[in-house]
Amino acid sequence: MLPEGLIDALIEHLGADAVLTGRDAMAPYERDWRGQFRSQAAAVLRPRTTGQVADAVSLCTQAGVAVIPQAGNTGLVGGSVARPDQVIVSLDRMTAVRSLDADNDTITVEAGCILADVQRAAADAGRLFPLSLAAEGSCRIGGNLATNAGGVNVLRYGNARELTLGLEVVLADGRIWDGLTGLRKDNSGFDLKQWFIGSEGTLGIITAATLRLFPALAQRETAFIAVPDPAAAVRLLGEFRQASGDNCIACELLPRLALELVCRHIPGCRDPLDRPAPWYLLVELASPAAGDWLADALQAVLATGLDDGSVSDAVIAGSLDQAAALWRLRESIPEAQTREGGSLKHDISVPVSRLPAFVSEAGAAVARAIPGVRVCAFGHVGDGNLHFNLSQPPGDDGDAFLARADEAGRIIHDVVAAMDGSVAAEHGIGRLKPAALQRYRSPVAVDLMRAIKQALDPDNRLNPGAVLEYREP
Amino acid sequence: MLPEGLIDALIEHLGADAVLTGRDAMAPYERDWRGQFRSQAAAVLRPRTTGQVADAVSLCTQAGVAVIPQAGNTGLVGGSVARPDQVIVSLDRMTAVRSLDADNDTITVEAGCILADVQRAAADAGRLFPLSLAAEGSCRIGGNLATNAGGVNVLRYGNARELTLGLEVVLADGRIWDGLTGLRKDNSGFDLKQWFIGSEGTLGIITAATLRLFPALAQRETAFIAVPDPAAAVRLLGEFRQASGDNCIACELLPRLALELVCRHIPGCRDPLDRPAPWYLLVELASPAAGDWLADALQAVLATGLDDGSVSDAVIAGSLDQAAALWRLRESIPEAQTREGGSLKHDISVPVSRLPAFVSEAGAAVARAIPGVRVCAFGHVGDGNLHFNLSQPPGDDGDAFLARADEAGRIIHDVVAAMDGSVAAEHGIGRLKPAALQRYRSPVAVDLMRAIKQALDPDNRLNPGAVLEYREP
């Protein structure tokens, strides 16, 4: 399938063990996390160094072969899925922590570092690397940066983009841009790293990054709070931010349905409160300062909320184990939904102020189209980012429900657009949503995207088909 | 000087009062803040709406005339200086606060809004807009964003870039990109706003922005601390960040010389401590949470510092007036330096961990070249950003000293480069430093910058000569 001599040249530059062509060896790299795409590559390359990544890219692109970069392969939108005439470049052997500068609060890591390993290296130095998401035990930092990953601590610390100071990138022509800097202020020309973060491997392959670290956390309070509706949740979010000194590091919204599904399907999960409530907030306050004033702040906000009706009940974790049990309720939702039957996922965001209206309008719109559908809208209320997921009507045929994915997506995304929201909040576009990008972003915005793609990768060799609609070369 | 008919067409679209061609009327727009550049425009346009900016740009660029965008005209690197065949587009009439969404913690303002007015609008809504710099009473937000302004609160809140969620931009061909969004998470394609922030008007003209707001501050502690050397300052910075719960919002370093010059030249300024010390830190801790634990944290760090020798003396502001007096010492340094005689400014940054070594190495290098030179290195130690300014040797000829600007700059910038620093930390490149960009950024980086410039402004009509080296069209 590949041009003659390419495999030999790749073996010469990368070593035989770095060039996989056997079906079994390639299988883990061809698997799509959610099983939505058929993926089959001509070869999988596993370079050990940035120079080898550059060699791989220039050999492939000069031979007219497209390159699909891949890190942890845990993405949810088919961002690293290959066709049989394409080559996957995996970063999974580039796992070094190149350096850590505690006084500068920075760490420099290779793209294949597993996110949890970055967190651990920071903790070992008495620092915090705050990027945190469900896949952190297997996702790799290069993928986190290529997709501008979000997660649960964006509210206080920002997305992956805001945590990045410098990048090393292999360009489409095989040149290496060494932009590894640990500077907090650098206006010496355009900020090139911003182009590559969130570009999903379509403009260059990130091979290493210098990331911001923060003081380690010394006090932490976790509470699971019953609230009457999303409007109360938004109100409480503002009060928690103010009272905690902007130390609300996570604020997650769960509907009653999510808690019921988790308790039904996930062993060991149970409702921590005595009576059912329509909605819940999982709130975490944390600070690098010693002391116990966050506990006071939490109690004060809850007391006011119980008085004015924003809060109907709450439990505060008394230990790290109890906090972990509360987080398990939140993090088990996707698995519980899968076990319940057919489910359709929508990763959307709206301004925080419009989130309550969005939940009711989008919920009503899908209920009109699909009677009996169950809305399981949960997620990062502090970022206006909901996973507005739908579970099939009980007893219905799951496949028939899943066949309505496009229709349901269109209904929900239209409400998102009407509220100035995003149809791809934290998971990216990948190969799942290029048509939605085309539909909901303005023609000027799409033109600008095509212009930079054309400037940096004129032959469309880097991850073609992701982000921007695929055109046969 | 302009093509025939252009002025008439501009008057038709913008109105006669928006097209200035008289020398007196244009003078304020032609003035360069530091008087380093001769500036003289063919016309100054003062559009009232985004549509009029778009008309102005398309009329000019179609006529082959270059456009120099200008906001508050307070930049320090000649970023909005015009030649006699160029037209200045001033944003100074577009000063509306378009909207403020308190629940979403966002404000949408036009590019001509004065920074202090943005701060005030936020405060009126019980929120904080944290961008703060000496020129805040006259600089305009469009210029702050076009230069990715820094200032004193970057340590806690980030640069202008990190405070921006959405932009509205007029492109080189006169099209308007409406990217005004208040979303915290949006990965629906490339993050276009990042291209324009910090591009100094060379890729598009920012006409409006949606900015992040934060909870208002409720407690604040300000201290002026005598320290033996920059290494002690870096150590204390880390301790303040940890002890305050990452609520150290400013950390400014001053050498003894700066304090002496300020006390000598600025009426009402006096040394707040009894004995002289080689270096000083001006530290501000602040939190949106009520309480007095920041005072405790400050006292604890100072007590430890007095014990271990990191601190030799300190004064804590007992009132807002006292805090303002301490800040006046810091903010008067540039004026005091000017009154002292010839001075050369260098806006540089290095990793925080290398700042002590930088101060001694760069200081020694300039002293070798210019015996008697006095180094006045002050600024944002928390960001590794120093204004490494030189005052002329006492009694020497000021003009002879100023004539050595290029030589001194080269010496200092070489030390910066050897320490992985930036020769343009927060003021930008403008027309002052394109050669330094070319020298200290890698050829690959410069190529990438030229590639996006070519893609977005192929005829080089937007602020030609700024950032990238000027080539006659």
Side-chain angles (χ1 to χ4, degrees):
Chain A
M1 213 60 177
L2 293 178
E4 201 177 314
L6 179 58
I7 289 289
D8 290 342
L10 288 166
I11 288 173
E12 187 186 323
H13 283 81
L14 276 66
D17 70 326
V19 181
L20 312 182
T21 50
R23 280 271 72 87
D24 288 352
M26 293 198 290
Y29 303 90
E30 294 174 330
R31 173 186 57 93
D32 168 43
W33 187 264
R34 286 175 59 195
Q36 300 177 107
F37 295 88
R38 283 183 59 85
S39 176
Q40 215 171 51
V44 173
L45 310 180
R46 300 182 66 208
R48 287 186 170 80
T49 65
T50 303
Q52 287 184 348
V53 175
D55 288 345
V57 169
S58 68
L59 287 168
C60 288
T61 57
Q62 276 166 31
V65 172
V67 165
I68 311 297
Q70 188 177 99
N73 198 21
T74 62
L76 302 177
V77 292
S80 53
V81 160
R83 296 188 321 191
D85 58 342
Q86 298 174 333
V87 167
I88 290 172
V89 173
S90 170
L91 283 301
D92 66 351
R93 269 181 175 162
M94 291 186 58
T95 58
V97 174
R98 288 197 192 160
S99 64
L100 188 150
D101 181 343
D103 277 342
N104 195 44
D105 280 309
T106 47
I107 187 170
T108 298
V109 298
E110 292 184 344
C113 255
I114 288 177
L115 174 54
D117 291 336
V118 182
Q119 296 168 342
R120 246 187 306 272
D124 289 347
R127 295 295 185 276
L128 171 73
F129 181 65
L131 187 66
S132 178
L133 46 130
E136 64 196 25
S138 51
C139 65
R140 297 176 191 271
I141 193 74
N144 298 141
L145 298 178
T147 59
N148 185 27
V152 295
N153 293 340
V154 171
L155 180 57
R156 169 64 183 82
Y157 294 102
N159 295 285
R161 180 183 302 278
E162 284 82 39
L163 301 174
T164 307
L165 294 174
L167 288 184
E168 180 187 80
V169 178
V170 171
L171 304 175
D173 58 9
R175 285 186 302 170
I176 298 166
W177 171 56
D178 177 359
L180 288 176
T181 163
L183 300 176
R184 255 68 184 180
K185 285 183 177 168
D186 180 9
N187 283 333
S188 62
F190 308 153
D191 191 358
L192 307 176
K193 67 175 178 288
Q194 305 293 352
W195 308 356
F196 301 102
I197 299 169
S199 72
E200 304 188 27
T202 63
L203 301 180
I205 302 183
I206 296 169
T207 50
T210 301
L211 306 168
R212 295 175 69 191
L213 302 179
F214 294 81
L217 297 173
Q219 51 176 320
R220 190 190 287 258
E221 297 290 331
T222 308
F224 192 81
I225 305 164
V227 299
D229 50 41
V234 168
R235 214 156 52 233
L236 283 169
L237 165 70
E239 285 162 24
F240 277 120
R241 287 189 70 189
Q242 187 81 46
S244 70
D246 210 6
N247 285 312
C248 185
I249 69 165
C251 188
E252 300 284 304
L253 184 70
L254 294 77
R256 175 70 193 170
L257 175 63
L259 186 62
E260 284 175 358
L261 296 182
V262 165
C263 292
R264 185 178 306 157
H265 296 293
I266 309 297
C269 282
R270 61 171 199 82
D271 186 344
L273 298 172
D274 294 331
R275 281 165 308 170
W279 293 90
Y280 303 93
L281 264 191
L282 177 58
V283 168
E284 195 149 276
L285 309 182
S287 167
D292 53 8
W293 41 268
L294 283 178
D296 298 342
L298 176 60
Q299 295 282 3
V301 173
L302 290 178
T304 308
L306 284 164
D307 274 353
D308 70 16
S310 299
V311 173
S312 62
D313 198 0
V315 57
I316 299 173
S319 67
L320 289 177
D321 279 354
Q322 286 178 20
L326 295 177
W327 272 104
R328 191 150 175 252
L329 298 175
R330 159 65 182 86
E331 284 169 354
S332 303
I333 299 174
E335 189 184 344
Q337 259 205 302
T338 302
R339 296 198 190 179
E340 178 72 7
S343 77
L344 297 173
K345 297 175 194 290
H346 308 91
D347 168 44
I348 64 90
S349 65
V350 293
V352 175
S353 52
R354 305 184 80 167
L355 195 136
F358 173 78
V359 169
S360 58
E361 285 186 33
V366 289
R368 276 194 299 275
I370 310 178
V373 70
R374 293 170 297 166
V375 175
C376 187
F378 66 94
H380 320 294
V381 62
D383 315 318
N385 172 204
L386 287 184
H387 301 303
F388 197 89
N389 295 355
L390 308 178
S391 276
Q392 63 171 91
D396 272 23
D397 175 54
D399 288 340
F401 175 70
L402 294 180
R404 302 184 70 176
D406 287 348
E407 178 192 356
R410 178 72 177 274
I411 291 169
I412 292 164
H413 290 165
D414 280 353
V415 181
V416 168
M419 292 196 179
D420 300 326
S422 169
V423 300
E426 62 172 5
H427 298 162
I429 295 288
R431 285 168 179 76
L432 188 63
K433 295 183 179 176
L437 183 156
Q438 197 82 26
R439 177 174 182 77
Y440 294 104
R441 297 296 301 262
S442 70
V444 176
V446 175
D447 273 3
L448 287 169
M449 293 182 206
R450 291 199 184 283
I452 197 173
K453 174 72 173 173
Q454 178 67 29
L456 297 193
D457 180 22
D459 298 324
N460 197 18
R461 298 293 180 219
L462 292 180
N463 212 6
V467 186
L468 296 169
E469 272 187 330
Y470 189 66
R471 293 168 179 172
E472 290 295 330
Chain B
M1 209 71 175
L2 293 176
E4 202 180 313
L6 179 57
I7 290 289
D8 289 342
L10 288 166
I11 288 174
E12 187 186 324
H13 282 80
L14 276 67
D17 71 324
V19 182
L20 312 182
T21 51
R23 280 268 77 83
D24 288 353
M26 293 197 291
Y29 303 90
E30 293 174 330
R31 174 185 57 95
D32 169 41
W33 188 264
R34 287 176 59 195
Q36 301 178 107
F37 294 89
R38 282 183 60 85
S39 175
Q40 213 170 54
V44 173
L45 310 180
R46 301 182 66 207
R48 286 187 170 80
T49 64
T50 303
Q52 287 184 348
V53 175
D55 288 346
V57 169
S58 68
L59 287 169
C60 288
T61 57
Q62 277 167 31
V65 172
V67 166
I68 311 297
Q70 188 177 99
N73 198 21
T74 62
L76 302 177
V77 293
S80 53
V81 160
R83 294 188 323 192
D85 58 341
Q86 298 173 334
V87 168
I88 290 172
V89 173
S90 169
L91 281 303
D92 66 352
R93 269 183 175 158
M94 291 186 57
T95 59
V97 174
R98 288 198 191 158
S99 63
L100 187 149
D101 182 343
D103 277 342
N104 195 45
D105 280 307
T106 47
I107 188 171
T108 299
V109 297
E110 292 185 342
C113 254
I114 288 178
L115 173 53
D117 291 336
V118 182
Q119 296 167 343
R120 245 187 306 272
D124 289 346
R127 296 295 187 277
L128 171 73
F129 181 64
L131 186 67
S132 178
L133 47 129
E136 63 196 25
S138 52
C139 65
R140 297 176 190 270
I141 193 74
N144 297 141
L145 298 178
T147 60
N148 186 28
V152 295
N153 293 340
V154 171
L155 179 57
R156 170 63 183 84
Y157 294 102
N159 295 286
R161 181 184 301 280
E162 284 81 42
L163 302 174
T164 307
L165 294 175
L167 288 184
E168 178 187 82
V169 178
V170 170
L171 305 175
D173 57 10
R175 284 186 302 170
I176 299 166
W177 171 56
D178 177 358
L180 288 176
T181 162
L183 300 176
R184 256 68 185 179
K185 286 182 176 168
D186 181 10
N187 282 333
S188 61
F190 307 155
D191 190 359
L192 307 177
K193 68 176 176 286
Q194 305 293 350
W195 307 357
F196 300 102
I197 299 169
S199 72
E200 305 189 26
T202 63
L203 301 179
I205 302 183
I206 296 169
T207 51
T210 300
L211 306 168
R212 294 175 68 192
L213 302 178
F214 293 81
L217 296 173
Q219 51 176 320
R220 188 190 289 256
E221 297 290 330
T222 308
F224 192 80
I225 305 163
V227 300
D229 51 40
V234 168
R235 214 157 52 234
L236 282 169
L237 165 69
E239 284 162 25
F240 278 121
R241 287 190 71 190
Q242 186 82 46
S244 69
D246 208 6
N247 285 312
C248 185
I249 69 164
C251 188
E252 300 285 303
L253 184 72
L254 293 76
R256 174 71 193 169
L257 175 62
L259 186 61
E260 284 175 357
L261 295 182
V262 165
C263 293
R264 184 177 308 154
H265 295 294
I266 309 296
C269 283
R270 59 170 202 84
D271 186 343
L273 298 173
D274 294 330
R275 280 164 307 170
W279 293 89
Y280 303 93
L281 264 190
L282 177 58
V283 168
E284 194 149 278
L285 311 181
S287 167
D292 54 7
W293 42 270
L294 283 178
D296 298 342
L298 176 60
Q299 294 282 4
V301 172
L302 290 178
T304 309
L306 285 164
D307 274 353
D308 70 16
S310 300
V311 172
S312 62
D313 197 1
V315 57
I316 299 173
S319 67
L320 288 177
D321 278 354
Q322 287 179 21
L326 296 177
W327 272 103
R328 193 151 174 254
L329 298 175
R330 159 67 182 84
E331 283 169 355
S332 302
I333 299 174
E335 189 185 342
Q337 260 205 300
T338 302
R339 296 198 190 180
E340 176 71 8
S343 76
L344 298 172
K345 297 175 192 294
H346 308 91
D347 168 44
I348 64 89
S349 64
V350 293
V352 175
S353 51
R354 305 184 79 167
L355 195 135
F358 172 78
V359 169
S360 59
E361 286 187 32
V366 289
R368 276 194 298 273
I370 310 177
V373 70
R374 292 171 296 167
V375 175
C376 188
F378 65 94
H380 320 293
V381 62
D383 316 318
N385 172 204
L386 287 185
H387 301 303
F388 198 89
N389 294 356
L390 308 179
S391 277
Q392 62 171 91
D396 273 23
D397 176 55
D399 288 341
F401 176 70
L402 294 180
R404 301 182 71 174
D406 287 349
E407 179 194 355
R410 178 71 176 276
I411 291 169
I412 291 164
H413 291 164
D414 281 353
V415 182
V416 168
M419 294 199 180
D420 301 326
S422 169
V423 301
E426 62 173 5
H427 299 162
I429 295 290
R431 285 167 180 77
L432 188 65
K433 298 184 178 175
L437 183 156
Q438 197 81 26
R439 177 172 181 80
Y440 295 104
R441 297 294 303 260
S442 70
V444 176
V446 175
D447 273 3
L448 286 169
M449 292 183 208
R450 290 200 184 281
I452 197 173
K453 174 72 174 173
Q454 177 68 29
L456 297 194
D457 180 21
D459 298 324
N460 196 19
R461 298 292 180 221
L462 292 179
N463 213 6
V467 185
L468 297 169
E469 273 187 328
Y470 189 67
R471 292 168 181 172
E472 289 296 328

